[in-house]
Amino acid sequence: MAPIGEMVLGLPDAGLRQFVDRYVGYRERADVPLVRRESAGVFVVLILGWGAPLDVTDPRSAQRGVTAVDSFVAGTFDSWCTTRTVGVGEGVELLLAPLTARRLLGLPLSELTNRAVGVGQLPGRWLDRLRGRLAEAPGWPERFALLDRVLTARLAASPPVDPRLDWAWRWLAAGGGRGSVGALGDELGWSRRHLASRFRQEVGLPPKMAARLLRFQRASAASTQVGVDGRAVDWAAVAAGCGYYDQSHLIRDFHQFAGATPAALLAGR
């Protein structure tokens, strides 16, 4: 039986949009256990929910997941994981760029790499309190307005990240992971070792892995759009357009980051 629910998109306040592109409110009822496979990515997932709890499982290690929580943060992952829930769940989902998450959470993302953590375990418990306020709000407009106020205040009170690291992330992201990591280090005047160390600490992954994941995200989005348009997907063309050496490298990344071939993942959607 398919889950029954609703999804509501919210646009953050104009001053927040450089940090958060949208809010996704949801309400979903699953009468039988609902298991989803979640692809890896260079982003941080924040779920602030109430109602039916979820389990997040990384098949590589039980210690990386979390069980029976309604709200959690998942750091940058370099492989797929699964979520499982049953019952009625409601909440808000945000996908955050790594350095935005670093400022909001107040801790280096190396502490969350390949991990999902209940918000009650995070420093200050401010996200846990925010979750309670969202649950009590009368509707989605009020919830989105509350998020605007709290996130704006949180960012205003947090120190900015190193501008060189911010520039490096934007350079990689703008190119969809196609640029040379060596050239990036040269632009910054950093050695490859120093660049890798800073990325691991603050982004949670080394720059080469971040670049691979950015290419994968771009390829996944491109193939989905072609599928929505009703056209047959030319996987070799997708691979070339997204900076892969060849189609076999694209398939390798889909296996690692999504747990399926590109065609199987598209069919599942």
Side-chain angles (χ1 to χ4, degrees):
M1 181 181 294
I4 301 171
E6 66 172 338
M7 181 180 293
V8 180
L9 300 182
L11 188 64
D13 181 79
L16 267 177
R17 289 177 206 163
Q18 62 176 309
F19 302 104
V20 182
D21 65 345
R22 64 180 180 175
Y23 305 130
V24 180
Y26 65 88
R27 186 177 191 278
E28 185 171 63
R29 189 187 84 209
D31 296 322
V32 297
L34 174 63
V35 179
R36 289 190 173 102
R37 183 175 296 187
E38 308 290 350
S39 298
V42 196
F43 49 75
V44 172
V45 178
L46 171 59
I47 298 288
L48 296 173
W50 47 94
L54 297 102
D55 300 336
V56 182
T57 304
D58 183 333
R60 299 172 297 179
S61 170
Q63 285 70 39
R64 292 173 173 172
V66 64
T67 59
V69 295
D70 53 23
S71 303
F72 67 89
V73 172
T76 46
F77 266 73
D78 60 15
S79 185
W80 59 274
C81 62
T82 62
T83 60
R84 181 187 185 278
T85 188
V86 62
V88 179
E90 191 170 9
V92 181
E93 178 187 73
L94 289 79
L95 297 183
L96 302 171
L99 297 182
T100 295
R102 197 265 181 264
R103 289 185 62 182
L104 286 173
L105 299 176
L107 75 168
L109 292 190
S110 58
E111 297 185 24
L112 293 174
T113 303
N114 289 320
R115 290 182 62 207
V117 178
V119 297
Q121 298 176 261
L122 295 172
R125 299 182 65 89
W126 69 276
L127 281 171
D128 196 31
R129 293 191 295 273
L130 175 58
R131 181 210 65 81
R133 294 172 65 190
L134 289 168
E136 293 170 357
W140 295 115
E142 293 81 7
R143 290 175 182 133
F144 297 152
L146 174 59
L147 284 167
D148 280 347
R149 295 193 299 273
V150 172
L151 298 184
T152 297
R154 183 77 181 180
L155 287 167
S158 68
V161 298
D162 184 329
R164 294 166 296 179
L165 189 64
D166 183 62
W167 183 88
W169 164 253
R170 292 179 185 276
W171 185 89
L172 264 186
R178 300 183 66 169
S180 162
V181 173
L184 176 58
D186 292 341
E187 287 283 345
L188 292 168
W190 287 352
S191 68
R192 291 193 179 192
R193 178 176 295 181
H194 184 68
L195 177 63
S197 174
R198 293 303 308 279
F199 257 73
R200 284 193 184 95
Q201 179 74 4
E202 303 296 346
V203 175
L205 297 168
K208 284 190 175 181
M209 178 58 73
R212 280 184 63 193
L213 282 162
L214 286 165
R215 287 194 296 272
F216 162 74
Q217 289 170 206
R218 186 176 179 186
S220 181
S223 62
T224 299
Q225 184 58 54
V226 172
V228 167
D229 292 343
R231 293 173 284 144
V233 180
D234 183 341
W235 294 109
V238 170
C242 294
Y244 283 93
Y245 181 74
D246 56 25
Q247 186 175 338
S248 66
H249 284 76
L250 173 90
I251 293 171
R252 175 203 63 184
D253 276 5
F254 269 74
H255 272 294
Q256 178 173 342
F257 300 143
T261 65
L265 190 65
L266 184 60
R269 288 173 180 163

